[in-house]
Amino acid sequence: MNVLSIGGSDPSSGAGIQSDIKAFSKLDTHCLTVITAITGQNTSNFGMVEPVSKNILENQLESIITDFKIDGIKIGMVYNSEIIKTLYHHLKKLKIPIVVDPVIKSTTGGMLIEKAAIIDFKKFIIPLATIITPNKFEAEILTKMKINSKNTPEKIAKKIQKMGAKNIVITGIQIKNKKISDFVLEKNKKYYITDKEISKINRGSGCIHSASVLYSIVKNKNIRKSLEFAKKNTFNSIKNSKKIGKGIAITNMEESNEVKLLNSINEFTKIKNIYKNIPECQTNFVYSKQKPKSIKEILGISGRIVKAGKGIIVAGNLTYGGSKHVATALLVVNEKFPNIQSAINLKYKKETISKIKKIKLTTYDYDRNQEPQNIKKKESSIEWGIKNAIKNSKKFPDIIYHKGDFGKEPMIILFGESPEEVIKKILKII
Ligand code: PXL
């Protein structure tokens, strides 16, 4: 997936273009960029702004648009009327989702748009928006109205909709009992999205919010689902923010499950002689959402990790529902031990089992010979086996194994809270 972020450069990488590159790469999405202005700023102060010339803006746009298939666009800082009109001219023909984050002032107080350009912003940029994501302050500036009991969020959002944006979310509108609400106006729908408040001043949360909205829309999720995802992701990124400079903390997005699992699969392929631990039926490596209801909520490889000579290759893509057996084992374990969200299957070897026992990993086993015939029809053997193995357990399993049955290969399944932890355990036992 390729998205295009149009906005200003922030050398502290807390907001703007640099923040978008970080955010999208954590979401496993390639972020193309068109820079509209260079800012000089850090976590305490906002220095200068220098907008780019029309020539270089056009050249950036043409370079990107003629080369890549772009799945969606995010527009942030646009600064002046020349930039606004040039963007409009190049983007008006594109039929892809556009998220507009109408940034006006930085958290540290710098102006991100010239006052005189706000009229053109409303005329040319707002009509491009599939969704526009102002915070309360930005919505008030755009409509020249203060939100109060007379000028309700709905009234203000309708005014922005009249300017041409299809969908509007006004963030941070209501704060009650440690909860914070965003007001949403779609074509024929209005509602609030409410979540926990987080009272931590930081830089870049608006950028992460709008980037997350775009990511989710491009993934074909509807407006409501996209905004719910964006709110959660922003909340977690604020919670995870880091004080890197001397001033305000910088928002820090956690990697997606996909990226975490991909990174660990990559680590796995690099382990020396790991091909010796791949069973005949090959290997899958899975990572579950929290509280999965079925294997459809467990990420796995749609193919397998397969032996290829003295190496291994990953055949297939990561998809939810991509694994059946290992995902079923994880589903059963997760029901009893909800922190366990990742698993991998490895070749059964006697020396591996003795090593596991020596280093005191928590190990359970089951005997496939004991499986009653009537169960064989009702549920999968693995479901029965794993349930049986942990039925009296007090502690979560690191390993569950069985020694096979007639025509059935013996197998080790290794569990952990995350793919990273699974890799650490593998390194201890092979
Ligand atoms: O968060 C809004 C924003 C967007 N773009 C740039 C910024 C900021 C805030 O500081 O500097 C370049």
Side-chain angles (χ1 to χ4, degrees):
M1 224 162 70
N2 304 317
V3 296
L4 167 60
S5 167
I6 301 174
S9 159
D10 167 7
S12 69
S13 300
I17 290 286
Q18 288 86 342
S19 157
D20 282 347
I21 298 173
K22 285 191 300 179
F24 284 115
S25 72
K26 287 189 176 174
L27 294 164
D28 197 25
T29 298
H30 187 72
C31 180
L32 307 156
T33 59
V34 164
I35 296 185
T36 57
I38 315 269
T39 70
Q41 57 174 315
N42 56 30
T43 53
S44 312
N45 299 302
F46 196 95
M48 279 173 62
V49 177
E50 221 168 80
V52 303
S53 72
K54 185 175 173 184
N55 267 350
I56 186 66
L57 181 65
E58 288 202 306
N59 195 251
Q60 291 181 78
L61 285 163
E62 279 158 16
S63 305
I64 296 307
I65 293 171
T66 54
D67 191 0
F68 297 91
K69 178 184 172 288
I70 303 170
D71 299 300
I73 297 178
K74 181 192 141 169
I75 304 178
M77 178 180 184
V78 290
Y79 202 63
N80 66 25
S81 284
E82 186 177 63
I83 289 168
I84 288 169
K85 287 178 188 161
T86 308
L87 288 175
Y88 176 72
H89 179 71
H90 283 80
L91 304 183
K92 66 174 186 233
K93 309 167 276 227
L94 303 180
K95 292 198 164 42
I96 48 177
I98 298 184
V99 174
V100 174
D101 185 9
V103 294
I104 290 171
K105 229 179 188 179
S106 82
T107 313
T108 46
M111 285 304 285
L112 302 169
I113 185 165
E114 285 179 344
K115 247 195 170 148
I118 292 182
I119 292 182
D120 281 337
F121 184 85
K122 292 190 215 173
K123 196 161 149 198
F124 294 107
I125 300 295
I126 293 187
L128 295 174
T130 309
I131 180 161
I132 186 165
T133 63
N135 60 27
K136 184 168 175 259
F137 163 77
E138 290 156 351
E140 289 177 340
I141 300 267
L142 292 175
T143 55
K144 294 193 183 141
M145 282 160 82
K146 273 254 172 252
I147 294 183
N148 52 38
S149 55
K150 208 166 113 244
N151 296 324
T152 58
E154 183 178 352
K155 202 162 164 187
I156 302 233
K158 279 205 166 127
K159 204 162 169 194
I160 300 174
Q161 205 171 42
K162 278 223 173 79
M163 296 173 195
K166 283 202 183 65
N167 303 286
I168 294 96
V169 56
I170 307 178
T171 60
I173 208 108
Q174 268 187 351
I175 304 176
K176 266 196 236 161
N177 320 324
K178 299 215 178 278
K179 300 248 172 178
I180 186 156
S181 296
D182 301 340
F183 177 77
V184 187
L185 183 67
E186 294 189 28
K187 193 171 171 213
N188 298 310
K189 260 192 275 187
K190 53 178 183 182
Y191 50 92
Y192 279 97
I193 294 180
T194 302
D195 210 335
K196 285 172 281 185
E197 186 209 354
I198 189 158
S199 55
K200 203 168 167 185
I201 298 181
N202 67 95
R203 300 201 57 234
S205 52
C207 292
I208 286 194
H209 182 264
S210 48
S212 309
V213 174
L214 178 62
Y215 168 78
S216 189
I217 288 177
V218 168
K219 285 255 178 178
N220 279 325
K221 300 283 190 290
N222 65 26
I223 295 291
R224 188 180 197 128
K225 282 253 162 350
S226 300
L227 289 170
E228 282 168 359
F229 167 73
K231 197 165 179 65
K232 269 240 142 49
N233 207 25
T234 308
F235 178 89
N236 289 337
S237 307
I238 296 173
K239 211 165 84 182
N240 202 30
S241 64
K242 293 202 165 74
K243 192 168 152 61
I244 300 169
K246 296 193 182 83
I248 304 171
I250 289 179
T251 318
N252 190 33
M253 194 196 288
E254 271 210 36
E255 273 134 356
S256 67
N257 281 4
E258 278 91 340
V259 171
K260 283 187 194 161
L261 185 54
L262 270 177
N263 286 343
S264 293
I265 290 172
N266 196 25
E267 289 293 306
F268 183 71
T269 61
K270 286 193 223 142
I271 299 172
K272 202 172 163 212
N273 287 331
I274 193 64
Y275 75 96
K276 291 183 179 166
N277 292 277
I278 304 292
E280 295 310 316
C281 70
Q282 320 286 8
T283 284
N284 214 319
F285 195 166
V286 299
Y287 191 23
S288 175
K289 289 186 178 177
Q290 278 179 358
K291 299 186 187 152
K293 287 189 217 59
S294 75
I295 61 171
K296 288 196 189 119
E297 293 182 350
I298 299 180
L299 194 59
I301 305 164
S302 62
R304 292 274 196 284
I305 301 174
V306 300
K307 239 188 300 194
K310 290 194 170 183
I312 60 171
I313 50 174
V314 182
N317 300 314
L318 287 190
T319 38
Y320 280 93
S323 154
K324 195 150 174 256
H325 282 84
V326 186
T328 301
L330 179 63
L331 194 66
V332 175
V333 170
N334 179 277
E335 208 181 332
K336 186 161 179 180
F337 302 104
N339 286 345
I340 301 299
Q341 284 179 250
S342 186
I344 194 169
N345 66 313
L346 299 169
K347 190 180 176 80
Y348 173 89
K349 292 197 284 185
K350 276 205 181 108
E351 59 269 33
T352 312
I353 300 294
S354 19
K355 216 161 177 189
I356 288 166
K357 291 193 170 155
K358 216 184 268 164
I359 60 171
K360 297 203 167 66
L361 289 178
T362 307
T363 306
Y364 305 110
D365 62 1
Y366 63 98
D367 185 350
R368 286 187 62 146
N369 285 313
Q370 303 289 319
E371 185 182 355
Q373 280 298 329
N374 60 337
I375 297 239
K376 275 193 184 172
K377 291 199 200 93
K378 258 199 342 217
E379 56 183 13
S380 65
S381 293
I382 196 149
E383 198 176 342
W384 169 83
I386 301 287
K387 272 186 193 160
N388 220 276
I390 61 171
K391 96 180 151 214
N392 298 319
S393 61
K394 294 255 174 344
K395 193 172 177 295
F396 66 84
D398 294 305
I399 309 274
I400 299 177
Y401 70 91
H402 71 82
K403 290 185 186 163
D405 191 0
F406 183 72
K408 297 285 178 198
E409 191 185 8
M411 191 69 60
I412 293 175
I413 303 185
L414 192 152
F415 300 86
E417 292 190 1
S418 64
E420 226 180 336
E421 201 192 42
V422 165
I423 293 288
K424 278 189 192 145
K425 289 182 190 173
I426 294 173
L427 292 172
K428 283 188 199 161
I429 65 165
I430 61 164

